[in-house]
């Protein structure tokens, strides 16, 4: 099982912004039907920033239109975790793609991009000069963001199926013997960058057990789910349908998020 979360010194110093507490209280009162107006956000009237009532589009896979209302617009300071509507969509998407387990114990947070997500995780789960385990050839963005924050990537040997569980186990034991155990491992199991390897599910399960044994958190970077290198498209061949995409997703193997039993991914 999962031991205590190894929050960094930085993470333990974080405190909620008081204005968020006020916003939450006002929103709760509004939800109860109370007539409350919040001025602290400095939000201008909606009509000044919502010039559109509807939008239409003509895309590669179809056309359509949508009607907009005030709830669709971000016209000022929003929640730190991201716009509620966008978070809800992303949560449903992650559930569809990964079917996370344990059920109901995951929450979606919106970041400004992939590297920002990596940086935030490093800041929350490691301290300066902590080791971050990764494959011997790992995404350059990890190294780029680790260096200015004084995190130390440690390469673990890999083969054609990805990181070797035996090599990860051995390195963890070495670091424990040195009195500097690692707490975080970075993995990309679909189309790993830069090697291009895709990790079989059996390998993922083996690595997960090593992480359980050494109480490692897994930072799973999975941006290449939809990248399929199956050869050039024949002339006149239709673009992949939604059903095709669902089939690709079903055949990709279980992600670490799906395999997670402890809440360590």
């Amino acid at each position: 099982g999962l031991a205590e979360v190894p929050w960094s010194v930085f993470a333990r110093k974080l405190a909620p912004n008081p204005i968020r507490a006020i916003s939450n209280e006002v929103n709760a009162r509004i939800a109860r039907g109370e007539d409350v107006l919040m001025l602290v956000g400095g939000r201008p009237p909606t009509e000044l920033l919502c010039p559109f009532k509807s939008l239409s589009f003509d895309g590669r896979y179809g056309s359509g239109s949508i009607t907009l209302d005030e709830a669709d617009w971000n016209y000022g300071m929003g929640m730190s975790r991201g716009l509620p509507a966008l978070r809800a969509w992303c949560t449903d998407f992650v559930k569809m793609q990964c079917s996370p387990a344990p059920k109901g114990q995951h929450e979606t947070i919106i970041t400004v991009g992939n590297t920002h997500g990596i940086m935030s995780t490093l800041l929350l789960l490691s301290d300066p000069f902590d080791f971050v385990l990764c494959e011997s050839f790992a995404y350059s963005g990890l190294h780029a963001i680790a260096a200015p924050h004084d995190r130390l990537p440690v390469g673990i040997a890999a083969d054609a199926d990805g990181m070797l569980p035996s090599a990860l186990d051995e390195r963890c034991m070495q670091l424990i013997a040195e009195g500097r155990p690692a707490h975080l491992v970075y993995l990309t199991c679909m189309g790993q960058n830069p090697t291009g390897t895709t990790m079989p599910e059996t390998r993922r399960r083996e690595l997960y057990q090593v992480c359980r044994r050494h109480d490692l958190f897994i930072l799973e970077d999975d941006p290449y789910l939809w990248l399929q290198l199956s050869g050039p498209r024949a002339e006149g061949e239709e673009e992949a349908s939604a059903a095709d995409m669902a089939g690709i997703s079903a055949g990709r193997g279980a992600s670490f998020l799906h395999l997670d039993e402890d809440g360590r991914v």
Side-chain angles (χ1 to χ4, degrees), residues 20-21 45 113 244 246 255:
R20 299 301 181 192
D244 293 332
S255 68

Side-chain angles (χ1 to χ4, degrees), residues 203-245:
R203 175 64 59 86
R204 302 177 203 187
R205 292 182 179 276
E206 292 169 355
L207 284 170
Y208 186 81
Q209 293 307 316
V210 175
C211 291
R212 296 186 83 183
R213 185 156 57 249
H214 294 289
D215 206 26
L216 292 171
F217 272 73
I218 299 172
L219 173 53
E220 182 178 21
D221 191 2
D222 193 16
Y224 304 120
L225 166 62
W226 302 113
L227 181 62
Q228 302 294 319
L229 305 179
S230 57
R233 188 180 303 278
E235 184 177 354
E237 184 179 355
E238 294 292 333
E239 295 284 350
S241 65
D244 293 332
M245 291 291 100

Side-chain angles (χ1 to χ4, degrees), residues 30-112:
I30 293 174
R32 293 196 296 266
E34 299 182 26
D35 188 11
V36 180
L37 177 64
M38 183 172 70
L39 301 178
V40 295
R43 296 187 175 192
T46 307
E47 58 268 18
L48 296 181
L49 293 177
C50 298
F52 305 108
K53 293 184 178 180
S54 65
L55 296 172
S56 61
F57 59 92
D58 184 12
R60 181 184 296 273
Y61 302 112
S63 304
S65 62
I66 55 174
T67 300
L68 304 173
D69 59 33
E70 180 180 343
D72 295 315
W73 291 87
N74 176 25
Y75 55 97
M77 294 183 292
M79 299 303 293
S80 303
R81 294 173 294 177
L83 293 175
L86 178 59
R87 288 181 57 225
W89 184 92
C90 290
T91 298
D92 289 341
F93 182 80
V94 171
K95 287 180 179 179
M96 177 183 70
Q97 298 302 321
C98 301
S99 185
K103 309 303 181 187
Q105 296 187 20
H106 290 85
E107 185 176 354
T108 302
I109 296 176
I110 308 299
T111 68
V112 299

Side-chain angles (χ1 to χ4, degrees), residues 104-223:
Q105 296 187 20
H106 290 85
E107 185 176 354
T108 302
I109 296 176
I110 308 299
T111 68
V112 299
N114 174 277
T115 305
H116 178 230
I118 295 173
M119 182 192 73
S120 299
T121 305
L122 294 183
L123 291 176
L124 292 173
L125 295 178
S126 67
D127 289 312
F129 307 108
D130 277 357
F131 295 120
V132 179
L133 307 179
C134 58
E135 291 189 15
S136 51
F137 293 96
Y139 172 49
S140 61
L142 171 68
H143 292 275
I145 204 63
H149 294 287
D150 294 322
R151 270 59 172 184
L152 307 176
V154 175
I156 306 297
D159 61 11
D161 289 335
M163 183 182 290
L164 290 165
S166 59
L168 176 62
D169 187 48
E170 180 180 357
R171 192 68 174 114
C172 285
M173 290 189 291
Q174 290 175 351
L175 294 175
I176 291 172
E178 296 170 6
R180 299 185 63 187
H183 301 294
L184 185 65
V185 58
Y186 170 87
L187 292 165
T188 299
C189 49
M190 290 290 292
Q192 198 267 8
N193 185 349
T195 65
T197 58
T198 292
M199 188 181 294
E201 184 174 326
T202 52
R203 175 64 59 86
R204 302 177 203 187
R205 292 182 179 276
E206 292 169 355
L207 284 170
Y208 186 81
Q209 293 307 316
V210 175
C211 291
R212 296 186 83 183
R213 185 156 57 249
H214 294 289
D215 206 26
L216 292 171
F217 272 73
I218 299 172
L219 173 53
E220 182 178 21
D221 191 2
D222 193 16

